[in-house]
Amino acid sequence: MANYDLIIKNGTIVTADSTVQGDIAIKDGKIIEVSVGKSIEATADREINADGLHILPGLIDTHVHFNEPGRTEWEGLETGSRSLAAGGVTTFFDMPLNSTPPTINKANLELKSSAANEKSIVNPRFWGGLVPENIDDLKDLHENGVIGFKAFMSPSGIADFNNVDDETIYKGMKEIASLGSLLAVHAESTVITDQLAQEKQSQGKTTARDFVESRPIISEIEAVRRVISYAEATGCKLHIVHASSRKVVQVINEAKQRGVDVTVETCPHYLSLTVKDLEEKKALAKCAPPLRDQDEVEDLWAAVANGEINVIASDHSPAPASMKTITDNFFEGWGGISGAQSTLNIMLTEGHFKRNLPLEKIVELTATNPAKLFGLSTKGDIAVNYDADLAIVDLNESFELKKEDLYYRHQHSPYVGMTFKGKVKTTIVGGQVVFENGQPIKK
Ligand SMILES: [Zn+2]
């Protein structure tokens, strides 16, 4: 009998702390040995030669919308998880909405988790929702394993997932604090965005720029300031998702410095796309908060490099192409960007190669920090006793992303046509290969 299930030889192992040359031995889904500078002389059922390749902890995408059950025609756990495997992502946290029923009580959570156990080829975890109707369900959801709760301060666009009023935020955060959990918030001010959208549309101003100006950075800042006040009043841990600008991040950092327990996510699209892309790619590049201008993109990269951002997540929010048509009114057409397969590609191409962001920093933002923040104590690092969740990447290989390369249910993304440097060759989840030779492995 072989000593190990799998040995990965001669790879360049990247963690949040270091980049070293070495071998990794895996058994029963766990990393058993990491040998630096010396090869592991043992037998294994399988050996992967990673000479010339980089091995990263598999990415943990803390923000996806896979829409199953109930809206599987938008994405689904099978197609969604296959696209993640192709992108080197080994764990995802599915948002409570866009699936129907939404994850706002235990029964709905069970529907989703059983579908995920059946269909997902990477590790699934789930957010619970906080809506005005479900304060009494939060404890049950927490006890049944949700990684945290998500609320919208502005309308979600989904009829069965209501946004929270201030009373719900207060009561919800008190309850979530008592559970020792965390609240993630979509923070935009409805008052500001509604007024501006009405003004624009009543004047017939419906261009991409008009849409973006109807959801200004100050609307994010207003909502972030308000929810931070509630975090201070209740002691609830707070996580701001998809900050689109460093100006938003600065408000969060001021709160951190006063001792508020608050963290912040940004997304690859805010780091790689601008209003110009929205003008050209239309609904494929429409999201809320919207894309900003190039100076904002550069400022956000500076925030990333400076340690001001805690987590990079995709906010993969897919929909059928038929919902993504915009003729000349940018207030029409469904918002949400399909991008989960490309997170690592963007961080490598736009971050590492274009802006000298260290590989260790990319690992920290996409794997180590998410694991720490959400208490996944055996993930996010390449070390003995950690789960064997790995992405093996060729940093010398460049490719142009084609529609046919996408494993989403609907093969569209604003990133199609971009040239990326750094290609995922193999993805491993719990010691099992789930992607190789350009193909996800069927469950
Ligand atoms: Zn989202």
Side-chain angles (χ1 to χ4, degrees):
M1 216 179 83
N3 303 94
Y4 295 116
D5 298 332
L6 175 64
I7 295 178
I8 307 169
K9 295 210 111 147
N10 304 314
T12 303
I13 302 168
V14 187
T15 66
D17 302 320
S18 66
T19 299
V20 294
Q21 206 70 27
D23 290 2
I24 300 168
I26 293 163
K27 193 175 173 63
D28 298 328
K30 294 276 181 190
I31 296 169
I32 305 295
E33 202 179 334
V34 180
S35 176
V36 177
K38 196 164 136 259
S39 78
I40 295 175
E41 301 300 338
T43 56
D45 293 336
R46 181 167 176 195
E47 251 184 50
I48 292 176
N49 179 10
D51 197 13
L53 304 177
H54 285 71
I55 308 168
L56 281 56
L59 279 73
I60 299 171
D61 192 339
T62 57
H63 190 160
V64 302
H65 299 263
F66 282 165
N67 307 311
E68 184 167 358
R71 251 183 219 99
T72 310
E73 72 276 15
W74 289 19
E75 181 65 277
L77 290 153
E78 185 180 336
T79 49
S81 70
R82 285 161 65 88
S83 73
L84 293 182
V89 182
T90 52
T91 300
F92 67 85
F93 299 173
D94 191 46
M95 281 293 170
L97 73 162
N98 300 21
S99 52
T100 295
T103 317
I104 53 173
N105 59 45
K106 183 185 167 194
N108 297 358
L109 172 66
E110 280 170 356
L111 284 177
K112 188 179 276 189
S113 65
S114 66
N117 289 337
E118 188 193 329
K119 294 176 183 172
S120 178
I121 61 169
V122 305
N123 304 303
R125 294 296 299 272
F126 309 100
W127 288 96
L130 168 66
V131 292
E133 305 82 27
N134 83 331
I135 306 265
D136 293 340
D137 290 292
L138 302 180
K139 187 163 187 268
D140 225 11
L141 283 163
H142 176 70
E143 285 170 356
N144 284 277
V146 297
I147 47 91
F149 296 90
K150 165 79 179 286
F152 272 72
M153 293 175 78
S154 53
S156 73
I158 294 283
D160 58 10
F161 197 91
N162 289 322
N163 57 296
V164 288
D165 50 72
D166 289 355
E167 187 184 331
T168 305
I169 298 183
Y170 182 79
K171 286 184 178 160
M173 286 181 103
K174 254 188 110 168
E175 174 72 0
I176 292 166
S178 79
L179 299 171
S181 188
L182 157 163
L183 181 67
V185 171
H186 176 127
E188 284 184 290
S189 158
T190 315
V191 172
I192 294 176
T193 58
D194 276 3
Q195 300 310 310
L196 288 170
Q198 274 169 29
E199 279 171 35
K200 289 277 187 192
Q201 290 180 93
S202 67
Q203 295 164 17
K205 293 181 174 170
T206 59
T207 64
R209 177 67 63 185
D210 291 321
F211 170 73
V212 170
E213 285 175 358
S214 78
R215 306 187 88 100
I217 292 165
I218 190 63
S219 126
E220 287 180 70
I221 288 175
E222 189 282 322
V224 165
R225 283 200 177 124
R226 186 153 34 102
V227 74
I228 283 172
S229 301
Y230 285 106
E232 290 184 275
T234 60
C236 183
K237 257 193 201 185
L238 176 64
H239 182 59
I240 304 294
V241 295
H242 51 51
S244 73
S245 159
R246 193 185 194 180
K247 298 180 178 83
V248 179
V249 175
Q250 278 164 347
V251 173
I252 295 161
N253 273 321
E254 285 161 22
K256 278 180 186 172
Q257 277 154 23
R258 308 198 282 281
V260 183
D261 198 346
V262 55
T263 47
V264 59
E265 164 202 287
T266 192
C267 313
H269 40 274
Y270 300 118
L271 293 164
S272 61
L273 302 172
T274 65
V275 183
K276 226 171 137 245
D277 291 285
L278 178 60
E279 284 165 352
E280 286 164 14
K281 297 170 190 189
K282 305 211 158 137
L284 292 186
K286 183 177 174 181
C287 55
L291 299 174
R292 307 293 180 195
D293 287 312
Q294 191 62 42
D295 56 339
E296 291 292 341
V297 171
E298 295 307 327
D299 282 355
L300 205 50
W301 275 115
V304 168
N306 197 34
E308 296 168 24
I309 305 281
N310 299 94
V311 171
I312 305 276
S314 70
D315 193 7
H316 178 67
S317 185
S322 58
M323 295 178 67
K324 304 290 276 172
T325 47
I326 287 175
T327 47
D328 51 5
N329 184 346
F330 277 76
F331 289 86
E332 291 170 359
W334 185 259
I337 286 180
S338 277
Q341 193 174 317
S342 303
T343 298
L344 182 58
N345 296 135
I346 288 161
M347 293 310 292
L348 290 171
T349 305
E350 296 291 318
H352 180 62
F353 289 112
K354 210 178 270 181
R355 295 176 177 86
N356 292 316
L357 189 71
L359 294 175
E360 293 89 346
K361 188 79 195 167
I362 295 176
V363 167
E364 183 187 317
L365 290 164
T366 58
T368 313
N369 280 357
K372 280 187 189 154
L373 184 54
F374 295 96
L376 310 186
S377 60
T378 58
K379 296 193 186 293
D381 199 359
I382 300 177
V384 172
N385 287 330
Y386 273 68
D387 296 344
D389 294 349
L390 304 165
I392 305 180
V393 186
D394 186 348
L395 289 190
N396 293 312
E397 194 173 333
S398 294
F399 69 102
E400 186 192 314
L401 185 70
K402 299 204 175 61
K403 247 173 75 163
E404 307 82 76
D405 300 332
L406 298 173
Y407 290 96
Y408 311 134
R409 171 133 192 169
H410 302 284
Q411 290 175 305
H412 58 70
S413 169
Y415 306 129
V416 168
M418 283 174 75
T419 298
F420 292 130
K421 189 166 187 210
K423 189 159 196 189
V424 175
K425 306 302 283 183
T426 307
T427 305
I428 296 167
V429 173
Q432 301 288 319
V433 172
V434 295
F435 176 83
E436 65 180 339
N437 303 319
Q439 287 297 326
I441 308 298
K442 266 221 169 252
K443 189 157 176 156

